[in-house]
C-alpha cells in the first residue's frame, strides 16, 4: 500500500512570500485612513479633557498626509497609463538621472515641484 502525501497549497500565492512594496503601502494607507476616522475617539480616550480644536488639528494633519500620498500615487499611476515608456524609465531612474548634466537635473527638480504645486492648487480650486 502506497501512501500519498499532499502539500496543501496556500489559497493565495502571495501569502507564502514576503509583502511587496505595493502591499506595504496599501497597508499603511489603510492604517492611516483608520487613524483619520477614529482620531477623535482615540484622543478622547487618552485625554478626557481634549477639546474639539485638538481633534481638528490632528484630523487636518492626517488628512493632509492622506491627500499627499493619494496625489503622488495618482500621478504615478496616470503617468504609467498615459506614457508607457515611463514605467521602464522609473525602474532605472538612478541610471538615467545620473546621465544628465547638473542644469538638466535642476530643470527636472523644479518642473516636478512646480507642476505638483500647480496640481495641488488646481485640485483645491476645484474643491473650494
Amino acid at each position: 500500500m502506497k501512501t500519498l502525501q499532499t502539500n496543501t497549497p496556500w489559497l493565495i500565492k502571495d501569502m507564502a512570500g514576503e509583502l511587496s512594496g505595493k502591499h506595504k503601502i496599501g497597508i499603511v494607507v489603510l492604517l492611516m485612513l483608520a487613524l483619520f476616522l477614529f482620531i477623535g475617539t482615540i484622543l478622547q480616550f487618552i485625554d478626557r479633557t481634549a477639546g474639539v480644536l485638538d481633534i481638528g488639528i490632528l484630523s487636518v494633519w492626517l488628512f493632509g498626509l492622506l491627500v499627499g500620498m493619494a496625489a503622488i500615487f495618482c500621478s504615478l499611476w496616470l503617468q504609467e497609463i498615459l506614457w508607457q515608456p515611463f514605467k521602464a524609465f522609473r525602474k532605472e531612474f538612478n541610471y538615467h538621472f545620473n546621465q544628465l548634466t547638473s542644469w538638466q537635473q535642476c530643470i527636472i527638480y523644479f518642473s516636478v515641484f512646480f507642476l505638483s504645486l500647480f496640481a495641488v492648487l488646481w485640485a483645491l480650486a476645484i474643491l473650494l
Side-chain angles (χ1 to χ4, degrees), residues 103-121:
W103 68 271
Q104 289 173 329
Q105 291 177 356
C106 287
I107 288 173
I108 289 177
Y109 277 130
F110 287 125
S111 64
V112 168
F113 173 73
F114 286 117
L115 287 174
S116 300
L117 180 65
F118 179 71
V120 168
L121 292 176

Side-chain angles (χ1 to χ4, degrees), residues 21-69:
K22 291 181 182 180
H23 290 118
K24 290 177 184 176
I25 291 171
I27 290 170
V28 168
V29 168
L30 286 175
L31 289 175
M32 285 181 60
L33 184 63
L35 186 63
F36 172 71
L37 292 175
F38 299 111
I39 193 70
T41 308
I42 293 169
L43 187 60
Q44 287 182 348
F45 181 74
I46 294 171
D47 182 15
R48 293 284 180 196
T49 62
V52 176
L53 291 176
D54 299 332
I55 296 168
I57 290 170
L58 288 176
S59 295
V60 167
W61 179 74
L62 284 171
F63 185 69
L65 285 175
L66 284 171
V67 168
M69 288 177 64

Side-chain angles (χ1 to χ4, degrees), residues 77-92:
W77 177 63
L78 285 173
Q79 283 177 348
E80 288 180 359
I81 286 176
L82 299 175
W83 189 41
Q84 291 297 323
F86 182 74
K87 185 182 276 188
F89 175 75
R90 189 175 56 89
K91 287 182 180 177
E92 296 187 25

Side-chain angles (χ1 to χ4, degrees), residues 1-7:
M1 177 183 227
K2 294 183 180 180
T3 59
L4 182 63
Q5 182 178 2
T6 60
N7 294 333

